[in-house]
Amino acid sequence: MNALLARFAETFEASPLRDAAGLGAERRAALDAALRDGLPHSRSEAWRYTSLRPLERREFLPADALPPVEAAALEAVPSPRLVFVNGRFHAEASDLSDLPEGVSLQPLSQVLQAGDARDASFLARRFDRS
């Protein structure tokens, strides 16, 4: 097993949200399939031109607390503005005030914590690996 999949497995077991929104079985099945089959490779038609080999040797660790973002750096960026730091949504630096009517935005972690399976149902979709 490569380092990336090993980290996925370790993180999944430790996650308090692994069964959130009633998706525990689907998430477990997807992880088990990835652990069994490995990452997609160039012999899979959908991944023919995308090599994931560099990811196999890389170790990913959880990011520490989000660092502060200087407000001056964002002054010229109009809203709505989504700010991500180290791949994590930074709510304090983001500005969602001008989202179109009927549009809402929240991190996936909040959707899972709310536990509404309908809102998180897209996570249960299965895709053909070929």
Side-chain angles (χ1 to χ4, degrees):
M1 177 184 334
N2 64 56
L4 177 63
L5 292 178
R7 175 58 86 179
F8 282 167
E10 178 184 317
T11 303
F12 180 83
E13 295 304 332
S15 174
L17 295 175
R18 70 175 175 261
D19 295 319
L23 296 170
E26 287 87 355
R27 294 179 81 192
R28 166 55 69 190
L31 176 61
D32 289 345
L35 295 174
R36 180 188 66 240
D37 301 335
L39 294 175
H41 47 76
S42 61
R43 286 178 285 206
S44 299
E45 183 62 30
W47 292 89
R48 192 161 118 190
Y49 300 109
T50 307
S51 175
L52 299 180
R53 284 238 181 245
L55 292 177
E56 290 179 348
R57 295 179 294 277
R58 199 138 180 211
E59 184 175 355
F60 293 88
L61 300 172
D64 294 328
L66 290 173
V69 175
E70 293 199 27
L74 300 174
E75 285 176 356
V77 180
S79 64
R81 175 181 66 233
L82 304 175
V83 177
F84 293 85
V85 177
N86 293 334
R88 293 173 55 196
F89 178 63
H90 198 300
E92 293 79 26
S94 298
D95 181 358
L96 307 179
S97 61
D98 289 333
L99 285 173
E101 186 176 329
V103 174
S104 65
L105 178 91
Q106 61 185 9
L108 180 58
S109 59
Q110 289 179 5
V111 173
L112 290 172
Q113 286 173 339
D116 186 346
R118 186 188 60 170
D119 289 343
S121 64
F122 70 93
L123 292 173
R125 293 182 189 161
R126 299 296 297 225
F127 297 95
D128 183 16
R129 290 180 56 97
S130 59

